[in-house]
Amino acid sequence: ETADANHQTLMTAKKSQLGASKQALLDKAGENGARAESLAESEAEKTNLEEQNTRDETFLADTKTSCQTKADEWAERKRLRTGEVAAISQALGVLRSDDARDLFKRSFDNDSFLQVDRKVHHSRGARALAMIRRTASVSKDVRLAALATVLSTRSDSHMSKNETDVTADPFAPVISAIDAMLTSLADEEQEDLEKKDQCESDRMTNTQEAKMTSKEIDTNTETIDRLTASIEAANKQVEEINQQITDLNAEKKAADEQRAAEAAEFSTNKQDDEAAVGLIETAMGVLTDFYQNEGLALLQKQEPFVAAG
């Protein structure tokens, strides 16, 4: 009975230990699933941040290239326009100089058939025409080319018109065209300045966006590093949990085997004890029958007197 009570107590403790082990196994399995889900979410977030970094770096490179291209185009356009305005101003200086005006006046006032100063007049006009043509060739401006064509046409037709109207100024339409061109160039320069301001504003905005993008890239990089460390820690914890689950399974298996062996031993001992009790009961029955048949009591309260020997 004492062995049976001890066995029952042991079985109760073993069952309690087995239940605790099973509950711990279930808790570890649930925790493992939660950590696996968190790990998958962290990896997805890391992938998204890496792709965002790639797109931001591409946008940053395109922005820098676009800003550099606009700056180069503006510098080249400004250089050509400055040269064009300088050439036109020089040409106007040649045509409007005092020497040129005096020469034109002497040429217009000369009514003789032979014009002595004709060579000098055409020399200055040719120089102005050549300068305009060179400027048109360098700046690739079609308006200067058209102006050079008009000036050349006016110079070619000057001989025939000079016979009928010697007071006419052959350069007046050209000068008017140059004045109109200067006005147009001034308007275009103002427009270019506005475009330049807009480009500088856009470049400043793009630079600010590039800085913010670069800062965001750095932040995303730090987040990626943090998530990578978190993923590594989660993987390590998952490995530890898997090891704990393996250990719990081994302990559970050993406890099951020990419980089965103890149960088998208890069953065998119980059968032996029950058989021994049966034998004792059989022996007691035989003695009881004998004493009843002989009229004797099984338990003698007072020992009877017997003779010596």
Side-chain angles (χ1 to χ4, degrees), residues 89-160:
S89 299
Q90 187 176 358
L92 286 176
V94 172
L95 295 177
R96 290 181 173 179
S97 64
D98 294 338
D99 294 338
R101 293 181 184 275
D102 294 339
L103 180 61
F104 292 155
K105 186 175 183 304
R106 290 196 303 271
S107 177
F108 297 153
D109 291 341
N110 188 3
D111 295 335
S112 63
F113 179 76
L114 179 61
Q115 297 181 358
V116 179
D117 295 333
R118 178 180 178 85
K119 181 177 181 181
V120 178
H121 168 70
H122 283 287
S123 176
R124 291 181 177 273
R127 283 188 299 174
L129 177 60
M131 186 176 299
I132 294 177
R133 285 177 176 175
R134 285 197 303 271
T135 306
S137 177
V138 172
S139 62
K140 302 296 189 297
D141 194 339
V142 295
R143 293 171 299 182
L144 283 179
L147 181 60
T149 303
V150 172
L151 183 58
S152 177
T153 303
R154 294 288 181 178
S155 298
D156 293 339
S157 60
H158 173 66
M159 292 179 63
S160 59

Side-chain angles (χ1 to χ4, degrees), residues 77 81 143 183-193:
R77 185 174 180 84
R81 185 170 302 282
R143 293 171 299 182
T183 303
S184 177
L185 288 174
D187 295 337
E188 289 184 1
E189 183 179 6
Q190 182 64 30
E191 183 179 356
D192 286 343
L193 288 175

Side-chain angles (χ1 to χ4, degrees), residues 274-288:
E274 290 176 350
V277 171
L279 291 177
I280 294 172
E281 290 177 351
T282 301
M284 289 177 64
V286 171
L287 291 175
T288 301

